[in-house]
């Protein structure tokens, strides 16, 4: 069945920007500063490193996106350019670990900001329940109305840029003293952290992550061979500019010590400093819409993944999951599978947070770090395409994939620094999922006929 081309360049770019920007930058800024000991310059450095990893990675993968004629994004790149068994391994990681962990964490964060907006008594249980409600709503909306999902993505992308760019611009001209710390919060001063600043790369990777999700709708983008490479190049560049402006603007308005000491409260304080007594709620409203845009964008891409794998017989119950609702162009069982896995990981996230298993981190950071390791295989394939003269540009065929590979290894190192005890365990778990997917693919997977 020929894919319906619903989306244009604007939606593809807004999907990248909308998922990347919207959650991490709002609740990871304090983690980045803590990891760098309050050093603004090191904070800028890790943002730039994270951006370069994404930019060179996305430019590299755009060479595969432009040449791919299958649906499924990175899974299809693995199948088309590596092997069907390797695609099965990566597909299982995305299906069972990557997408659902990110969906769970971002949904939970939306619950946190909802509580803050309405002044409710905060608890991990309430945060999780609200996150489940948002998750359920957006999965349902993107299944029953692709137009609503696309429109909300575009609207939320525009809305989230207002506070980010606004704080960035105001920070340039801000000359007021930093606010006093809230009562009951102890002052945390800057410190020399040595090489531990590399641990900031894990939250930075989370802040930039999301660009890869856009590849899942490649076959539903008009003129995708030209559009997707453009989107995958422009999107991360916009994200870098916005992040640096916001990061420096927030520091100018509330100060490094306030961010180190008060953590996530810095956003609300910035709103109050700018707009007065109601500023905190106004800014929190923008932040909440931004984060909901992330939940929407992830669910928009995730509900398509089980069907992609089922069409290639890459997962159990493929016969049922591959059946499409012709009117919607989506599989109801694929949507239910994605939703069920997201709920499972939301429960797991609750458990890790309740007993502080990840020492301040979360399950999504580990999945994101491991995903960059898996991208290296595709970067190497682009180099091979250059050697075969299927790619003529030296920059696109050699420079970008080599720098993307270096960036992936740097992020892996940063993730190890951020949580040296649990990171190896969870990376081992992710690797096990890939091995199981590979073995399943050896017995069951069938190559998908070219859909172009």
């Amino acid at each position: 069945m020929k894919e319906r081309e619903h989306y244009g360049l604007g939606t593809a770019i807004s999907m990248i920007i909308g998922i990347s920007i919207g959650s991490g930058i709002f609740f990871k800024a304090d983690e980045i500063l803590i990891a760098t000991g309050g050093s603004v310059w090191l904070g800028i450095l890790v943002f730039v490193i994270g951006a370069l990893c994404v930019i060179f990675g996305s430019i590299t993968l755009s060479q595969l996106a432009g040449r791919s004629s299958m649906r499924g994004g990175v899974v299809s790149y693995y199948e088309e350019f590596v092997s069907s068994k390797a695609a099965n391994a990566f597909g299982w990681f995305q299906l069972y670990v990557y997408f659902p962990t990110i969906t769970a964490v971002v949904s939970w964060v939306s619950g946190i900001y909802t509580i803050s907006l309405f002044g409710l008594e905060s608890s991990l249980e309430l945060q999780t329940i609200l996150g489940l409600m948002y998750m359920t709503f957006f999965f349902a909306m993107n299944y029953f109305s692709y137009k609503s999902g696309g429109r909300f993505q575009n609207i939320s992308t525009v809305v989230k840029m207002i506070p980010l760019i606004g704080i960035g611009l105001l920070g340039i001209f801000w000359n007021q003293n930093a606010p006093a710390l809230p009562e009951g919060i102890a002052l945390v001063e800057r410190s020399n952290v040595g090489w531990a600043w590399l641990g900031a790369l894990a939250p930075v990777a989370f802040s930039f992550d999301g660009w890869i999700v856009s590849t899942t709708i490649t076959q539903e983008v008009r003129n995708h061979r030209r559009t997707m490479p453009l989107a995958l190049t422009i999107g991360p560049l916009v994200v870098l500019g916005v992040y640096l402006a916001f990061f420096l603007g927030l520091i100018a308005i509330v100060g490094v010590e306030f961010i180190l000491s008060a953590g996530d409260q810095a956003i609300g304080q910035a709103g109050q400093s700018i707009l007065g007594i109601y500023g905190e709620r106004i800014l929190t409203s923008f932040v909440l819409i931004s984060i909901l845009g992330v939940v929407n964008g992830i669910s928009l891409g995730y509900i398509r993944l089980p069907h992609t794998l089922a069409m290639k017989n890459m997962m159990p119950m493929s016969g049922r999951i591959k059946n499409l609702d012709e009117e919607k162009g989506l599989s109801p069982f694929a949507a239910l599978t994605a939703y069920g896995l997201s709920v499972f990981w939301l429960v797991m996230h609750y458990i890790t947070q309740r007993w502080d298993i990840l020492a301040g981190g979360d399950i999504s950071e580990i999945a994101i770090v491991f995903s960059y390791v898996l991208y290296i295989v595709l970067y190497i394939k682009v180099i091979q395409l250059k050697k075969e003269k299927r790619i003529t540009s030296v920059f696109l065929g050699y420079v970008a994939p080599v720098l993307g590979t270096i960036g992936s290894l740097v992020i892996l190192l940063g993730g190890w620094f951020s949580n040296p005890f649990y990171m190896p365990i969870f990376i081992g778990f992710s690797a096990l999922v890939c091995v199981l997917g590979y073995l399943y693919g050896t017995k069951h997977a069938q190559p998908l006929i070219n859909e172009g």
Side-chain angles (χ1 to χ4, degrees):
M1 184 184 77
K2 183 176 176 58
E3 299 297 334
R4 303 176 186 179
E5 297 180 339
H6 305 306
Y7 308 115
L9 176 62
T11 297
I13 292 176
S14 71
M15 190 175 181
I16 296 169
I17 297 173
I19 298 175
S20 298
I21 299 176
S23 58
I25 189 60
F26 292 118
F27 74 98
K28 296 290 187 181
D30 58 316
E31 294 181 25
I32 293 167
L33 273 180
I34 289 171
T36 61
S39 170
V40 177
W41 289 111
L42 280 178
I44 293 173
L45 177 62
V46 294
F47 269 116
V48 171
I49 291 174
L52 291 177
C53 294
V54 171
I55 290 169
F56 288 117
S58 61
I59 289 174
T60 303
L61 292 188
S62 74
Q63 299 309 298
L64 302 181
R67 290 168 172 79
S68 177
S69 55
M70 297 180 179
R71 78 181 288 178
V74 180
V75 175
S76 68
Y77 306 161
Y78 260 94
E79 181 178 19
E80 206 166 349
F81 301 103
V82 184
S83 73
S84 61
K85 289 180 288 188
N88 215 102
F90 184 82
W92 273 43
F93 168 72
Q94 281 207 314
L95 176 66
Y96 295 115
V97 183
Y98 177 80
F99 272 97
T101 57
I102 296 175
T103 305
V105 170
V106 177
S107 298
W108 166 70
V109 171
S110 66
I112 293 176
Y113 280 94
T114 300
I115 291 171
S116 176
L117 176 62
F118 293 103
L120 304 174
E121 184 176 349
S122 184
S123 69
L124 180 60
E125 288 73 21
L126 182 57
Q127 295 165 4
T128 305
I129 291 171
L130 289 172
L132 176 61
M133 292 171 62
Y134 282 127
M135 180 193 296
T136 303
F137 172 78
F138 283 107
F139 267 98
M141 182 177 73
N142 279 291
Y143 175 74
F144 289 107
S145 176
Y146 74 85
K147 289 184 178 179
S148 296
R151 286 169 183 166
F152 186 85
Q153 195 62 43
N154 292 333
I155 293 170
S156 64
T157 299
V158 173
V159 169
K160 75 181 59 180
M161 301 299 276
I162 296 173
L164 292 170
I165 295 177
I167 288 176
L169 292 175
L170 286 171
I172 298 174
F173 306 101
W174 197 262
N175 56 13
Q176 298 182 27
N177 294 328
L181 286 174
E183 185 177 350
I185 294 181
L187 175 65
V188 177
E189 298 181 345
R190 308 181 196 212
S191 61
N192 185 358
V193 295
W195 287 103
W197 66 268
L198 288 170
L201 287 168
V204 164
F206 181 96
S207 298
F208 275 97
D209 201 63
W211 57 277
I212 200 69
V213 179
S214 66
T215 62
T216 62
I217 64 166
T218 294
Q219 299 305 312
E220 297 174 72
V221 173
R222 292 186 291 273
N223 192 18
H224 71 271
R225 291 181 184 274
R226 176 179 178 275
T227 301
M228 287 308 296
L230 279 174
L232 287 167
T233 303
I234 295 171
L237 288 172
V238 174
V239 173
L240 173 61
V242 172
Y243 274 6
L244 286 179
F246 174 79
F247 183 67
L248 295 175
L250 184 65
I251 290 173
I253 294 171
V254 303
V256 171
E257 284 72 20
F258 191 101
I259 299 173
L260 288 174
S261 306
D264 293 338
Q265 295 184 41
I267 302 296
Q269 179 59 52
Q272 188 171 333
S273 297
I274 296 169
L275 300 170
I277 189 171
Y278 298 108
E280 181 175 355
R281 287 198 172 185
I282 293 172
L283 186 57
T284 302
S285 299
F286 280 106
V287 173
L288 179 58
I289 293 173
S290 301
I291 295 172
L292 293 179
V294 181
V295 181
N296 177 70
I298 296 173
S299 61
L300 189 154
Y302 189 24
I303 60 175
R304 290 160 170 78
L305 180 59
H307 176 259
T308 299
L309 300 183
M311 287 297 294
K312 306 169 188 182
N313 201 30
M314 286 183 171
M315 60 180 294
M317 298 180 66
S318 292
R320 175 173 292 185
I321 293 173
K322 70 176 61 174
N323 292 327
L324 285 177
D325 181 322
E326 293 297 330
E327 181 180 349
K328 298 179 177 63
L330 295 169
S331 163
F333 290 103
L336 286 172
T337 299
Y339 175 74
L341 288 168
S342 298
V343 172
F344 168 79
W345 278 106
L346 182 60
V347 173
M348 295 302 297
H349 175 69
Y350 170 82
I351 293 172
T352 61
Q353 294 298 305
R354 169 54 64 196
W355 287 278
D356 197 23
I357 294 176
L358 298 179
D362 61 62
I363 54 177
S364 64
E365 289 182 1
I366 297 169
I368 290 167
V369 168
F370 188 75
S371 69
Y372 275 92
V373 177
L374 296 180
Y375 299 155
I376 293 176
V377 176
L378 297 177
Y379 300 161
I380 293 173
K381 186 59 188 181
V382 170
I383 294 174
Q384 292 177 350
L385 292 177
K386 168 60 181 170
K387 290 181 178 180
E388 296 169 3
K389 298 183 179 181
R390 294 169 63 182
I391 296 176
T392 57
S393 169
V394 173
F395 175 77
L396 296 177
Y398 287 135
V399 178
V402 168
L403 292 177
T405 300
I406 293 173
S408 292
L409 294 175
V410 169
I411 287 179
L412 175 62
L413 180 64
W416 210 282
F417 267 96
S418 71
N419 204 318
F421 181 75
Y422 285 106
M423 185 65 74
I425 296 174
F426 277 80
I427 284 180
F429 169 76
S430 298
L432 177 61
V433 171
C434 290
V435 170
L436 293 175
Y438 186 91
L439 294 176
Y440 188 91
T442 301
K443 295 182 178 180
H444 301 283
Q446 299 172 352
L448 183 65
I449 297 174
N450 198 324
E451 295 179 352

